[in-house]
Amino acid sequence: KQEVTQIPAALSVPEGENLVLNCSFTDSAIYNLQWFRQDPGKGLTSLLLIQSSQREQTSGRLNASLDKSSGRSTLYIAASQPGDSATYLCAVRLGAGANNLFFGTGTRLTVIP
Amino acid sequence: GAVVSQHPSWVICKSGTSVKIECRSLDFQATTMFWYRQFPKQSLMLMATSNEGSKATYEQGVEKDKFLINHASLTLSTLTVTSAHPEDSSFYICSASSWLAGVTDTQYFGPGTRLTVL
């Protein structure tokens, strides 16, 4: 069974700092990996999706990398802002069907003004 | 972008009553809808997958007679929690995707429904 782990569980940084969130998964035979943002009491917003054949994806201040062989992904946030405060979830998909989508427990990020 | 809504956003009910949660795809036809449950500080767990016009497929450990799912149209799926108990209190999130016209299997998530059973 696929297990997805995110470390740290919580992170506080001062505004402007660059930071890295980590995600690891046990089964390297993934279809894709996705990073989401979840604000308190809200649903999920997709940030970046990396296909299994890709190494990284970038969107604005966000950069996600994927090392499938080692079962790791990182989400890099540059020049953090208070508005980045949220819980960040990574999810891996083993196949095209949603029943193969496994979520991590998330990293709760607080950016201090 | 594709928008998925849920109603209600929060609900409080007494133990033993039933609660219905709606999930709607507002600007696309969702051939498949998914229901997730998220307990505090825990990951999202898939409960069931429903395809329009057919019976839902439930994940192991999810009681299909307790969590009734109906996907009667391409824009609406409902989750009914029957005879709710305090342990059913959770955050329920739906997502929708579409295989029509070669659309990717991207899932679009709703804002979630907070259920509290007293």
Side-chain angles (χ1 to χ4, degrees), chain A residues 2-6 22-30 33 35 55 65-74 90 92:
Chain A
Q2 177 74 267
E3 292 185 7
V4 183
T5 305
Q6 290 185 248
N22 297 293
C23 173
S24 61
F25 45 95
T26 54
D27 187 341
S28 62
I30 64 170
L33 182 145
W35 283 92
R55 300 279 297 191
S65 68
L66 174 63
D67 185 343
K68 201 172 66 166
S69 61
S70 66
R72 294 175 189 271
S73 175
T74 62
C90 74
V92 298

PDB file of all heavy atoms in Angstrom, chain A residues 2-6 22-30 33 35 55 65-74 90 92:
ATOM      1  N   GLN A   2       0.495   2.206  -0.836  1.00  0.00           N
ATOM      2  CA  GLN A   2       1.266   3.448  -0.924  1.00  0.00           C
ATOM      3  C   GLN A   2       1.105   4.273   0.344  1.00  0.00           C
ATOM      4  O   GLN A   2      -0.012   4.487   0.820  1.00  0.00           O
ATOM      5  CB  GLN A   2       0.765   4.249  -2.132  1.00  0.00           C
ATOM      6  CG  GLN A   2       1.414   5.606  -2.338  1.00  0.00           C
ATOM      7  CD  GLN A   2       2.828   5.508  -2.865  1.00  0.00           C
ATOM      8  OE1 GLN A   2       3.778   5.499  -2.099  1.00  0.00           O
ATOM      9  NE2 GLN A   2       2.977   5.465  -4.176  1.00  0.00           N
ATOM     10  N   GLU A   3       2.199   4.744   0.895  1.00  0.00           N
ATOM     11  CA  GLU A   3       2.171   5.645   2.040  1.00  0.00           C
ATOM     12  C   GLU A   3       2.891   6.932   1.653  1.00  0.00           C
ATOM     13  O   GLU A   3       3.980   6.900   1.086  1.00  0.00           O
ATOM     14  CB  GLU A   3       2.836   5.002   3.254  1.00  0.00           C
ATOM     15  CG  GLU A   3       2.046   3.819   3.808  1.00  0.00           C
ATOM     16  CD  GLU A   3       2.645   3.265   5.087  1.00  0.00           C
ATOM     17  OE1 GLU A   3       3.593   3.870   5.606  1.00  0.00           O
ATOM     18  OE2 GLU A   3       2.162   2.227   5.552  1.00  0.00           O
ATOM     19  N   VAL A   4       2.260   8.030   1.991  1.00  0.00           N
ATOM     20  CA  VAL A   4       2.809   9.331   1.656  1.00  0.00           C
ATOM     21  C   VAL A   4       3.073  10.101   2.949  1.00  0.00           C
ATOM     22  O   VAL A   4       2.165  10.250   3.766  1.00  0.00           O
ATOM     23  CB  VAL A   4       1.853  10.126   0.753  1.00  0.00           C
ATOM     24  CG1 VAL A   4       2.480  11.461   0.346  1.00  0.00           C
ATOM     25  CG2 VAL A   4       1.489   9.325  -0.482  1.00  0.00           C
ATOM     26  N   THR A   5       4.281  10.567   3.105  1.00  0.00           N
ATOM     27  CA  THR A   5       4.694  11.239   4.337  1.00  0.00           C
ATOM     28  C   THR A   5       5.177  12.642   4.013  1.00  0.00           C
ATOM     29  O   THR A   5       5.917  12.843   3.046  1.00  0.00           O
ATOM     30  CB  THR A   5       5.834  10.467   5.031  1.00  0.00           C
ATOM     31  OG1 THR A   5       5.417   9.112   5.249  1.00  0.00           O
ATOM     32  CG2 THR A   5       6.184  11.100   6.363  1.00  0.00           C
ATOM     33  N   GLN A   6       4.762  13.585   4.839  1.00  0.00           N
ATOM     34  CA  GLN A   6       5.224  14.951   4.653  1.00  0.00           C
ATOM     35  C   GLN A   6       5.902  15.436   5.928  1.00  0.00           C
ATOM     36  O   GLN A   6       5.363  15.306   7.029  1.00  0.00           O
ATOM     37  CB  GLN A   6       4.053  15.874   4.301  1.00  0.00           C
ATOM     38  CG  GLN A   6       3.509  15.619   2.909  1.00  0.00           C
ATOM     39  CD  GLN A   6       2.443  16.605   2.504  1.00  0.00           C
ATOM     40  OE1 GLN A   6       1.274  16.246   2.365  1.00  0.00           O
ATOM     41  NE2 GLN A   6       2.843  17.868   2.328  1.00  0.00           N
ATOM     42  N   ASN A  22       8.798  18.954   2.103  1.00  0.00           N
ATOM     43  CA  ASN A  22       9.190  17.632   1.640  1.00  0.00           C
ATOM     44  C   ASN A  22       8.032  16.642   1.608  1.00  0.00           C
ATOM     45  O   ASN A  22       7.154  16.671   2.476  1.00  0.00           O
ATOM     46  CB  ASN A  22      10.284  17.068   2.552  1.00  0.00           C
ATOM     47  CG  ASN A  22      11.534  17.912   2.514  1.00  0.00           C
ATOM     48  OD1 ASN A  22      12.209  17.984   1.502  1.00  0.00           O
ATOM     49  ND2 ASN A  22      11.830  18.577   3.622  1.00  0.00           N
ATOM     50  N   CYS A  23       8.080  15.765   0.636  1.00  0.00           N
ATOM     51  CA  CYS A  23       7.080  14.715   0.493  1.00  0.00           C
ATOM     52  C   CYS A  23       7.809  13.443   0.079  1.00  0.00           C
ATOM     53  O   CYS A  23       8.654  13.475  -0.822  1.00  0.00           O
ATOM     54  CB  CYS A  23       6.057  15.111  -0.567  1.00  0.00           C
ATOM     55  SG  CYS A  23       4.867  13.832  -1.016  1.00  0.00           S
ATOM     56  N   SER A  24       7.513  12.355   0.762  1.00  0.00           N
ATOM     57  CA  SER A  24       8.111  11.079   0.369  1.00  0.00           C
ATOM     58  C   SER A  24       7.022  10.033   0.228  1.00  0.00           C
ATOM     59  O   SER A  24       5.996  10.086   0.912  1.00  0.00           O
ATOM     60  CB  SER A  24       9.161  10.625   1.394  1.00  0.00           C
ATOM     61  OG  SER A  24       8.569  10.429   2.661  1.00  0.00           O
ATOM     62  N   PHE A  25       7.242   9.097  -0.672  1.00  0.00           N
ATOM     63  CA  PHE A  25       6.251   8.055  -0.927  1.00  0.00           C
ATOM     64  C   PHE A  25       6.958   6.717  -1.056  1.00  0.00           C
ATOM     65  O   PHE A  25       8.122   6.648  -1.466  1.00  0.00           O
ATOM     66  CB  PHE A  25       5.418   8.364  -2.180  1.00  0.00           C
ATOM     67  CG  PHE A  25       6.206   8.835  -3.370  1.00  0.00           C
ATOM     68  CD1 PHE A  25       6.625   7.946  -4.350  1.00  0.00           C
ATOM     69  CD2 PHE A  25       6.528  10.190  -3.517  1.00  0.00           C
ATOM     70  CE1 PHE A  25       7.356   8.384  -5.448  1.00  0.00           C
ATOM     71  CE2 PHE A  25       7.253  10.629  -4.606  1.00  0.00           C
ATOM     72  CZ  PHE A  25       7.679   9.723  -5.576  1.00  0.00           C
ATOM     73  N   THR A  26       6.250   5.657  -0.695  1.00  0.00           N
ATOM     74  CA  THR A  26       6.900   4.354  -0.578  1.00  0.00           C
ATOM     75  C   THR A  26       6.935   3.573  -1.882  1.00  0.00           C
ATOM     76  O   THR A  26       7.851   2.783  -2.092  1.00  0.00           O
ATOM     77  CB  THR A  26       6.203   3.515   0.502  1.00  0.00           C
ATOM     78  OG1 THR A  26       4.796   3.449   0.212  1.00  0.00           O
ATOM     79  CG2 THR A  26       6.412   4.127   1.872  1.00  0.00           C
ATOM     80  N   ASP A  27       5.960   3.770  -2.743  1.00  0.00           N
ATOM     81  CA  ASP A  27       5.900   3.037  -4.006  1.00  0.00           C
ATOM     82  C   ASP A  27       6.298   3.977  -5.134  1.00  0.00           C
ATOM     83  O   ASP A  27       5.581   4.933  -5.422  1.00  0.00           O
ATOM     84  CB  ASP A  27       4.487   2.487  -4.229  1.00  0.00           C
ATOM     85  CG  ASP A  27       4.394   1.564  -5.430  1.00  0.00           C
ATOM     86  OD1 ASP A  27       5.286   1.610  -6.313  1.00  0.00           O
ATOM     87  OD2 ASP A  27       3.424   0.787  -5.489  1.00  0.00           O
ATOM     88  N   SER A  28       7.427   3.722  -5.773  1.00  0.00           N
ATOM     89  CA  SER A  28       7.952   4.653  -6.782  1.00  0.00           C
ATOM     90  C   SER A  28       7.231   4.542  -8.127  1.00  0.00           C
ATOM     91  O   SER A  28       7.451   5.356  -9.021  1.00  0.00           O
ATOM     92  CB  SER A  28       9.450   4.419  -6.983  1.00  0.00           C
ATOM     93  OG  SER A  28       9.681   3.106  -7.460  1.00  0.00           O
ATOM     94  N   ALA A  29       6.377   3.551  -8.276  1.00  0.00           N
ATOM     95  CA  ALA A  29       5.665   3.374  -9.555  1.00  0.00           C
ATOM     96  C   ALA A  29       4.438   4.273  -9.604  1.00  0.00           C
ATOM     97  O   ALA A  29       3.289   3.798  -9.600  1.00  0.00           O
ATOM     98  CB  ALA A  29       5.260   1.906  -9.711  1.00  0.00           C
ATOM     99  N   ILE A  30       4.701   5.577  -9.665  1.00  0.00           N
ATOM    100  CA  ILE A  30       3.588   6.524  -9.648  1.00  0.00           C
ATOM    101  C   ILE A  30       3.270   7.009 -11.052  1.00  0.00           C
ATOM    102  O   ILE A  30       4.113   6.990 -11.949  1.00  0.00           O
ATOM    103  CB  ILE A  30       3.881   7.730  -8.729  1.00  0.00           C
ATOM    104  CG1 ILE A  30       5.063   8.547  -9.262  1.00  0.00           C
ATOM    105  CG2 ILE A  30       4.154   7.261  -7.308  1.00  0.00           C
ATOM    106  CD1 ILE A  30       5.225   9.873  -8.538  1.00  0.00           C
ATOM    107  N   LEU A  33       2.372  13.193  -9.529  1.00  0.00           N
ATOM    108  CA  LEU A  33       2.366  13.716  -8.170  1.00  0.00           C
ATOM    109  C   LEU A  33       1.861  15.140  -8.233  1.00  0.00           C
ATOM    110  O   LEU A  33       2.201  15.899  -9.140  1.00  0.00           O
ATOM    111  CB  LEU A  33       3.767  13.670  -7.551  1.00  0.00           C
ATOM    112  CG  LEU A  33       3.910  14.153  -6.108  1.00  0.00           C
ATOM    113  CD1 LEU A  33       4.962  13.333  -5.361  1.00  0.00           C
ATOM    114  CD2 LEU A  33       4.224  15.629  -6.018  1.00  0.00           C
ATOM    115  N   TRP A  35       0.821  18.752  -5.951  1.00  0.00           N
ATOM    116  CA  TRP A  35       0.858  19.555  -4.739  1.00  0.00           C
ATOM    117  C   TRP A  35      -0.401  20.421  -4.683  1.00  0.00           C
ATOM    118  O   TRP A  35      -0.778  21.057  -5.679  1.00  0.00           O
ATOM    119  CB  TRP A  35       2.098  20.454  -4.713  1.00  0.00           C
ATOM    120  CG  TRP A  35       3.354  19.729  -4.353  1.00  0.00           C
ATOM    121  CD1 TRP A  35       4.248  19.155  -5.207  1.00  0.00           C
ATOM    122  CD2 TRP A  35       3.869  19.507  -3.028  1.00  0.00           C
ATOM    123  NE1 TRP A  35       5.278  18.590  -4.503  1.00  0.00           N
ATOM    124  CE2 TRP A  35       5.083  18.791  -3.158  1.00  0.00           C
ATOM    125  CE3 TRP A  35       3.430  19.856  -1.752  1.00  0.00           C
ATOM    126  CZ2 TRP A  35       5.855  18.412  -2.062  1.00  0.00           C
ATOM    127  CZ3 TRP A  35       4.193  19.482  -0.662  1.00  0.00           C
ATOM    128  CH2 TRP A  35       5.393  18.767  -0.824  1.00  0.00           C
ATOM    129  N   ARG A  55      10.748  15.988 -14.219  1.00  0.00           N
ATOM    130  CA  ARG A  55      11.606  16.168 -13.051  1.00  0.00           C
ATOM    131  C   ARG A  55      11.144  17.343 -12.194  1.00  0.00           C
ATOM    132  O   ARG A  55      11.392  17.361 -10.990  1.00  0.00           O
ATOM    133  CB  ARG A  55      13.041  16.419 -13.507  1.00  0.00           C
ATOM    134  CG  ARG A  55      13.643  15.313 -14.324  1.00  0.00           C
ATOM    135  CD  ARG A  55      14.139  14.200 -13.459  1.00  0.00           C
ATOM    136  NE  ARG A  55      15.217  14.588 -12.561  1.00  0.00           N
ATOM    137  CZ  ARG A  55      15.925  13.697 -11.864  1.00  0.00           C
ATOM    138  NH1 ARG A  55      15.650  12.412 -11.961  1.00  0.00           N
ATOM    139  NH2 ARG A  55      16.884  14.088 -11.064  1.00  0.00           N
ATOM    140  N   SER A  65       9.803  19.593  -7.480  1.00  0.00           N
ATOM    141  CA  SER A  65      10.681  18.624  -8.109  1.00  0.00           C
ATOM    142  C   SER A  65      10.219  17.219  -7.781  1.00  0.00           C
ATOM    143  O   SER A  65       9.529  16.993  -6.783  1.00  0.00           O
ATOM    144  CB  SER A  65      12.117  18.820  -7.626  1.00  0.00           C
ATOM    145  OG  SER A  65      12.214  18.473  -6.259  1.00  0.00           O
ATOM    146  N   LEU A  66      10.613  16.295  -8.628  1.00  0.00           N
ATOM    147  CA  LEU A  66      10.233  14.897  -8.425  1.00  0.00           C
ATOM    148  C   LEU A  66      11.428  13.984  -8.694  1.00  0.00           C
ATOM    149  O   LEU A  66      12.050  14.073  -9.757  1.00  0.00           O
ATOM    150  CB  LEU A  66       9.089  14.500  -9.357  1.00  0.00           C
ATOM    151  CG  LEU A  66       8.681  13.035  -9.367  1.00  0.00           C
ATOM    152  CD1 LEU A  66       8.151  12.616  -7.990  1.00  0.00           C
ATOM    153  CD2 LEU A  66       7.627  12.763 -10.438  1.00  0.00           C
ATOM    154  N   ASP A  67      11.760  13.161  -7.724  1.00  0.00           N
ATOM    155  CA  ASP A  67      12.765  12.118  -7.887  1.00  0.00           C
ATOM    156  C   ASP A  67      12.051  10.806  -7.641  1.00  0.00           C
ATOM    157  O   ASP A  67      11.952  10.341  -6.500  1.00  0.00           O
ATOM    158  CB  ASP A  67      13.922  12.319  -6.904  1.00  0.00           C
ATOM    159  CG  ASP A  67      15.037  11.309  -7.129  1.00  0.00           C
ATOM    160  OD1 ASP A  67      14.793  10.285  -7.800  1.00  0.00           O
ATOM    161  OD2 ASP A  67      16.150  11.524  -6.620  1.00  0.00           O
ATOM    162  N   LYS A  68      11.533  10.243  -8.704  1.00  0.00           N
ATOM    163  CA  LYS A  68      10.688   9.064  -8.577  1.00  0.00           C
ATOM    164  C   LYS A  68      11.448   7.871  -8.005  1.00  0.00           C
ATOM    165  O   LYS A  68      10.923   7.115  -7.187  1.00  0.00           O
ATOM    166  CB  LYS A  68      10.115   8.701  -9.948  1.00  0.00           C
ATOM    167  CG  LYS A  68       8.869   7.851  -9.896  1.00  0.00           C
ATOM    168  CD  LYS A  68       8.255   7.698 -11.274  1.00  0.00           C
ATOM    169  CE  LYS A  68       9.136   6.913 -12.205  1.00  0.00           C
ATOM    170  NZ  LYS A  68       8.430   6.483 -13.430  1.00  0.00           N
ATOM    171  N   SER A  69      12.680   7.711  -8.414  1.00  0.00           N
ATOM    172  CA  SER A  69      13.443   6.537  -7.989  1.00  0.00           C
ATOM    173  C   SER A  69      13.679   6.523  -6.492  1.00  0.00           C
ATOM    174  O   SER A  69      13.707   5.460  -5.862  1.00  0.00           O
ATOM    175  CB  SER A  69      14.777   6.467  -8.726  1.00  0.00           C
ATOM    176  OG  SER A  69      15.550   7.618  -8.442  1.00  0.00           O
ATOM    177  N   SER A  70      13.819   7.692  -5.903  1.00  0.00           N
ATOM    178  CA  SER A  70      14.042   7.754  -4.460  1.00  0.00           C
ATOM    179  C   SER A  70      12.750   7.998  -3.699  1.00  0.00           C
ATOM    180  O   SER A  70      12.754   8.057  -2.463  1.00  0.00           O
ATOM    181  CB  SER A  70      15.061   8.842  -4.109  1.00  0.00           C
ATOM    182  OG  SER A  70      14.540  10.117  -4.406  1.00  0.00           O
ATOM    183  N   GLY A  71      11.648   8.166  -4.411  1.00  0.00           N
ATOM    184  CA  GLY A  71      10.365   8.368  -3.756  1.00  0.00           C
ATOM    185  C   GLY A  71      10.259   9.699  -3.041  1.00  0.00           C
ATOM    186  O   GLY A  71       9.730   9.762  -1.926  1.00  0.00           O
ATOM    187  N   ARG A  72      10.744  10.756  -3.681  1.00  0.00           N
ATOM    188  CA  ARG A  72      10.729  12.063  -3.020  1.00  0.00           C
ATOM    189  C   ARG A  72      10.271  13.168  -3.968  1.00  0.00           C
ATOM    190  O   ARG A  72      10.519  13.135  -5.164  1.00  0.00           O
ATOM    191  CB  ARG A  72      12.118  12.414  -2.516  1.00  0.00           C
ATOM    192  CG  ARG A  72      12.652  11.529  -1.421  1.00  0.00           C
ATOM    193  CD  ARG A  72      14.099  11.918  -1.084  1.00  0.00           C
ATOM    194  NE  ARG A  72      14.718  10.955  -0.190  1.00  0.00           N
ATOM    195  CZ  ARG A  72      14.661  11.031   1.135  1.00  0.00           C
ATOM    196  NH1 ARG A  72      14.031  12.047   1.705  1.00  0.00           N
ATOM    197  NH2 ARG A  72      15.235  10.122   1.881  1.00  0.00           N
ATOM    198  N   SER A  73       9.625  14.146  -3.347  1.00  0.00           N
ATOM    199  CA  SER A  73       9.286  15.367  -4.056  1.00  0.00           C
ATOM    200  C   SER A  73       9.479  16.530  -3.099  1.00  0.00           C
ATOM    201  O   SER A  73       9.310  16.377  -1.885  1.00  0.00           O
ATOM    202  CB  SER A  73       7.840  15.345  -4.550  1.00  0.00           C
ATOM    203  OG  SER A  73       7.485  16.586  -5.146  1.00  0.00           O
ATOM    204  N   THR A  74       9.844  17.659  -3.636  1.00  0.00           N
ATOM    205  CA  THR A  74       9.966  18.859  -2.816  1.00  0.00           C
ATOM    206  C   THR A  74       9.180  19.987  -3.460  1.00  0.00           C
ATOM    207  O   THR A  74       9.055  20.058  -4.690  1.00  0.00           O
ATOM    208  CB  THR A  74      11.427  19.311  -2.657  1.00  0.00           C
ATOM    209  OG1 THR A  74      11.956  19.630  -3.944  1.00  0.00           O
ATOM    210  CG2 THR A  74      12.274  18.247  -1.994  1.00  0.00           C
ATOM    211  N   CYS A  90       0.698  16.987  -0.488  1.00  0.00           N
ATOM    212  CA  CYS A  90       1.111  16.325  -1.715  1.00  0.00           C
ATOM    213  C   CYS A  90       0.288  15.060  -1.873  1.00  0.00           C
ATOM    214  O   CYS A  90      -0.169  14.471  -0.885  1.00  0.00           O
ATOM    215  CB  CYS A  90       2.608  16.021  -1.734  1.00  0.00           C
ATOM    216  SG  CYS A  90       3.141  14.661  -0.692  1.00  0.00           S
ATOM    217  N   VAL A  92      -0.020  11.447  -4.489  1.00  0.00           N
ATOM    218  CA  VAL A  92       0.517  10.673  -5.592  1.00  0.00           C
ATOM    219  C   VAL A  92      -0.582   9.819  -6.180  1.00  0.00           C
ATOM    220  O   VAL A  92      -1.477   9.341  -5.478  1.00  0.00           O
ATOM    221  CB  VAL A  92       1.708   9.787  -5.158  1.00  0.00           C
ATOM    222  CG1 VAL A  92       2.850  10.647  -4.659  1.00  0.00           C
ATOM    223  CG2 VAL A  92       1.300   8.777  -4.109  1.00  0.00           C
TER     224      VAL A  92
END
